[in-house]
Amino acid sequence: MQVMTPRGPALVELDEVAEPRLLLVLTHGSAGGVDAPDLLAVRDAALAAGASVARVTQAFRVAGARAPGSAVKQDEAWEIVLRELRAGRSGLPLVQGGRSNGARVACRTAKAVGAAAVVALAFPLHPPGRPERSRAEELRGAGVDVLVVNGDRDPFGIPDAADAARLVVLPGENHDLKRDPARVGEVVAEWIMRYA
């Protein structure tokens, strides 16, 4: 499915279950895609738990860019995609999330799109080696419950537990969360179903 935004088309891959209990919408990091191991594991676990899952390739990635550019424009495009996805599914609870930059987008737009909660995978607390440039305010400002799943070896830092409804730090994991993606999926699926 393609959704037109002011930044060009976004692509949506939708996996639906027969009687969904909620809609989970996920997106990628700055230079990644929706086939990242952790996103696929979360999709699989959420489907098994009874959630329909949409994975969104944002317009900047469809256009070939490796960086999202303006946060305002990125968020505007995201909100258009979410409106399209929610059409016809208005009675279904929405949880949105993503990995790295996608987690930031999900936090910044949660209230605007009516999300019940946010899943933040590998939330990039700060640029590597720059802890003074904290992005913790995006977590605190989400306005809904946020689950953060980070690795204990993430060079982008680990958020403080007080900045999220739940923080899970996985030992041995780096920013890519690909050492044990099935564990990431289990953590997310268990947590999101409380919003169903």
Side-chain angles (χ1 to χ4, degrees), residues 27 78 96-98 101-111 115 118-119 142:
T27 193
W78 180 257
Q96 68 174 5
N101 173 265
R104 296 180 65 198
V105 173
C107 287
R108 291 192 308 253
T109 61
K111 287 190 285 190
V118 167
V119 173

Side-chain angles (χ1 to χ4, degrees), residues 126-132 155-156:
H126 56 72
R130 304 287 304 273
E132 73 280 1
F156 289 84

Side-chain angles (χ1 to χ4, degrees), residues 144-165:
V144 298
D145 289 346
V146 180
L147 166 68
V148 175
V149 182
N150 271 57
D152 68 349
R153 299 180 181 179
D154 194 329
F156 289 84
I158 301 169
D160 190 88
D163 292 332

Side-chain angles (χ1 to χ4, degrees), residues 7 28-33 57-69 74:
R7 303 193 69 189
H28 50 78
S30 289
T57 302
Q58 295 177 64
F60 78 90
R61 289 296 291 145
V62 174
R66 291 179 59 83
Q74 185 183 21

Side-chain angles (χ1 to χ4, degrees), residues 61-193:
R61 289 296 291 145
V62 174
R66 291 179 59 83
S70 157
V72 171
K73 290 181 180 177
Q74 185 183 21
D75 294 354
E76 175 190 33
W78 180 257
E79 290 174 25
I80 289 168
V81 172
L82 267 287
R83 273 197 302 274
E84 184 76 21
L85 272 171
R86 303 238 22 224
R89 296 179 184 89
S90 59
L92 209 52
L94 167 69
V95 176
Q96 68 174 5
R99 69 165 349 277
S100 195
N101 173 265
R104 296 180 65 198
V105 173
C107 287
R108 291 192 308 253
T109 61
K111 287 190 285 190
V113 302
V118 167
V119 173
L121 305 175
F123 186 86
L125 182 62
H126 56 72
R130 304 287 304 273
E132 73 280 1
R133 294 187 57 200
S134 174
R135 299 169 178 136
E137 190 54 45
E138 289 180 350
L139 285 171
R140 291 190 291 264
V144 298
D145 289 346
V146 180
L147 166 68
V148 175
V149 182
N150 271 57
D152 68 349
R153 299 180 181 179
D154 194 329
F156 289 84
I158 301 169
D160 190 88
D163 292 332
R166 182 165 185 224
L167 170 67
V168 177
V169 180
L170 300 175
E173 290 282 6
N174 205 321
H175 191 63
D176 55 20
L177 296 175
K178 67 179 184 181
R179 186 166 175 244
D180 187 3
R183 178 69 185 127
V184 177
E186 290 167 11
V187 168
V188 172
E190 178 187 354
W191 190 78
I192 64 171
M193 295 318 289

